[in-house]
Amino acid sequence: MSENKQLLDEIEALLEQHRTKIAENTPLTKEHVDEIMNKLRQGMFIIPVKMQDDDRLAELKAEVERTGRPVKLPEDARPTPILIQNPNKENYVAIYTSMKQIPDTIKHDGCVQMKFDGCMNYAKQAGNTVHGVVVNPFTHNFIMKVRKEQKVTPEQFHMLARKNVEFVLFPHSIYSNGKDYFDGINEETLYRLFRDQYANKLPMPYTQDDFAVMQLGISADMDLIHIDMPSKQRVAGGCIRIYATWTHEKNQAGYYMIVQGEKPGERRFLYMNDQGKVTDYGEAPVESVEMQTVLEKETERLSSN
């Protein structure tokens, strides 16, 4: 027995266990699923395909019928996997552990062998017409969906980059890296966060001069950072200004945002806690009293904890 044949037999046995567990409503363990996936990644699977309908196809079929052995495909051959469609009209690449798993109703021009990862990559690159891979669809029906990489326009990318920095990376850094990080925040800090978002994707639209950072010692117990964010590529929900606070007594940070609203000229006042939960305080105060409002809200929040 070849090494791959033995491996495919082991996979069939694991898939049969999997099917039994589902039928008996037995909880599936992570270890069981991991074992199946590890085996799948090692195997070469049988895939029924369609071929170009030309004279070479007839010659290949005749040779297979004559010899009973696999034949080598021409280099320019483009076999297309047979797809299986579920009741939701989703298409899957069908792969099999043995020829006996392929029913006679599946019409095909022959079969090729392919590694599991190659099958998944084919499904991933096929666009929205293919949703994933199914192993032995008529017996074990083990389905794996693929995550599609969504294409975004440059405008969408700029918006996503800003949201990722302003609502994820920067607040997480402030809340998790302590006072030394807080004290070191400057224009370069923000610039680097954005630069990492754009690496090898799009030209960076910002320079370090587009950020303005002021570190302020408000009182003996509280420090505050006032950050003017770039007006370039800012859309609704993007930050106009960010205020970060640090209270010495409680050794605790705070993160406040003045963001652009949906309507022209609208500005919203938001607070984000250390778990990423956002509180909307409504319409933002005028710029001249923004800082004072932040301090009042932070004092109020700390006193209620």
Side-chain angles (χ1 to χ4, degrees), residues 48 128 131 142 209 220 235 274 282:
N128 294 328
H131 290 76
F142 188 79
D209 292 338
V235 296
D274 58 355

Side-chain angles (χ1 to χ4, degrees), residues 176-187:
S176 60
N177 289 333
K179 188 62 163 65
D180 287 343
Y181 177 84
F182 185 92
D183 289 342
I185 292 172
N186 56 23
E187 288 83 358

Side-chain angles (χ1 to χ4, degrees), residues 249-287:
E249 181 182 351
K250 295 197 175 185
N251 202 35
Q252 198 174 108
Y255 190 80
Y256 295 83
M257 296 169 281
I258 307 296
V259 304
Q260 183 169 311
E262 295 288 343
K263 300 175 182 177
E266 183 184 19
R267 299 157 67 252
R268 308 295 295 178
F269 181 32
L270 309 181
Y271 165 73
M272 179 184 288
N273 70 10
D274 58 355
Q275 300 300 310
K277 181 181 178 181
V278 175
T279 300
D280 188 340
Y281 289 129
E283 186 176 350
V286 295
E287 185 175 350

